[in-house]
Amino acid sequence: MHAMARRAEITLDLRRLVGRWTLRSAGHAGRFTYLFIDMLRGLAEWRIYLPRTFEQATGVGFGSLFIVLLVAGFAGAVTSLQAGYQFTGTLPLYYAGAVISESMILELGPVLTGLILAGRIGARYAAELGTMRVTEQIDALESLGRSPISHLLLPRVLAGLLVVPALTMFANGMGLFVGWITAKQSLGITDADFTYGARFFFRPLDLWYSLIKSYWFAGAVTVIPCYIGYNTQQGAEGVGRAATTAVVAASVSILLLDVVITKLLLGK
Amino acid sequence: MIQLSDIHKRFLDNVVLDGVSLEVRDGETLALLGPSGVGKSVTLKMINGLLRPDAGDVVVDGLHVQRLKRGELSELRSRIGYVFQYGALFDSDTVAENIRLGITDETCYSDDGYCADRVRECLRLVNLAPDVAEKYPAELSGGMKKRVGIARAIAGKPKYLLYDEPTSGLDPVNADVIDGLVERLRDELGVTSVVVSHDVRGSFRVADRVALLWQSKIRAVGTPEQILGSRDAAVLQFLERDLEMSLIQAESVANVRKDGS
Ligand SMILES: Nc1ncnc2c1ncn2[C@@H]1O[C@H](COP(=O)(O)OP(=O)(O)O)[C@@H](O)[C@H]1O
Ligand SMILES: [Mg+2]
């Protein structure tokens, strides 16, 4: 009797918890959609966001270039070494050229760049907007009849859409270059073999695919942190929470988008 | 005219406003007094639509604030200057750019010459030196930030001004400058103002009428004389507490002077 009552209570508690969680998620989804529509509407106000977009883009772009190139270079080197390790004696060497170029362009370039920028851009945007929210700067902007969407959010999102694909292309190039050098040094592959392998499997679609991925990742590392930062509550602690949540949410979205896009574009 | 009728507002279980009604006539300065945490800032934010009431009506200039479309609300807001309690300056912009963003008329905003003049003018009105213009908010003291916030709010020549504790944290000289500014904007330009304060003396000086927000309701409204003559227990308690505060302040100032000499 007692146990049954307890079980009923637990089920009820669980149900309430699930209910609350569902409500909260629905609330987020609603507000996110609303914000997104607001951004699309704000696109007409280019006079306001364009200058600020370039300002943001230079800040975010140059600031991230070094770390993106560094990580891409290491990724290229490791891919190259692993290819050598797996191929010894079984496959013709020129395959290494194919593996390195394809894995860099299709996967490592966009995804690693996306993940780094989820940290760099995501944390920055969420913390900036969160601080502006809790110090009432966003309210102040609204009180002057100005729109936070066109003054604060659009410049940040558009800057990301400009910068992330460019950085991804740099990362692809860097990874390929370092991979090639490493392959020459450690596998003794000739330039001719490497380019033959890289060309043999390469389709122009691959670069488009890399670019498409990077645009979606750019969206993820900008829109999500902007949403989270914009809705920050409760002071300094809230800003900290917004920054960490933004990085995690942006990173997870990149991994999810990666699977979905790969399935849609390359899946059989 | 600003009219709040039967405003209710709660945050989760925290009932902040429970049937607040208030009217601010054109050209008058109303001081909204009350202990801290009672909901003065919340009330002020209802007037320009930064917060929405759970129930009740807010009417400004004949417009129902809650029913306005986005564009209409922006337009109304450009006629209402808002001074934030802690300045709320845009900290990636210089003081000059902050004040310039307060110029809400788009033609004026894009006129560099007009803006430079207006920025200088507004700085002068809040008793700040012209060279402050090129500084960033992080380089300013709390009192200076506050005065830049006021300069930004008046830059667009608004018809209404909402001040959230404009003189708290200012030294007496600058508090006087700001009080004088509130009076002059009313007398020379006919600006309608709401001054939120917990400083009784300053607000009695600038206000035509005073309202006391007490335990989620407007407890008393009247001219400063009527409020001072009130027999209401809550009013007396509030005035008494303020009197004590100013005595303590006066005492500590005297002590500092004694120690300093
Ligand atoms: N955005 C908000 N979310 C939750 N509670 C709030 C919010 N803004 C104000 N409050 C609460 O409303 C009450 C009144 O706040 P406020 O209007 O700032 O007081 P004051 O009279 O000192 O200006 C406080 O209890 C505060 O915690
Ligand atoms: Mg307040």
Side-chain angles (χ1 to χ4, degrees), chain B residues 11 14 16 34-43 51 85 164-165 196:
Chain B
F11 295 102
N14 178 10
V16 178
S36 80
V38 75
K40 303 184 294 295
S41 302
V42 168
T43 308
L51 284 175
Q85 194 166 352
D164 200 346
E165 314 219 354
V196 159

Side-chain angles (χ1 to χ4, degrees), chain A residues 65 68-69 71-73 76 104-105 108-110 112-113 116 165-177:
Chain A
L65 187 59
V68 164
L69 290 182
V71 171
M104 222 36 235
I105 295 174
L108 292 176
L112 286 178
T113 307
I116 295 164
L167 286 173
T168 302
M169 290 301 136
F170 279 121
N172 289 342
M174 183 72 177
L176 207 59
F177 176 70

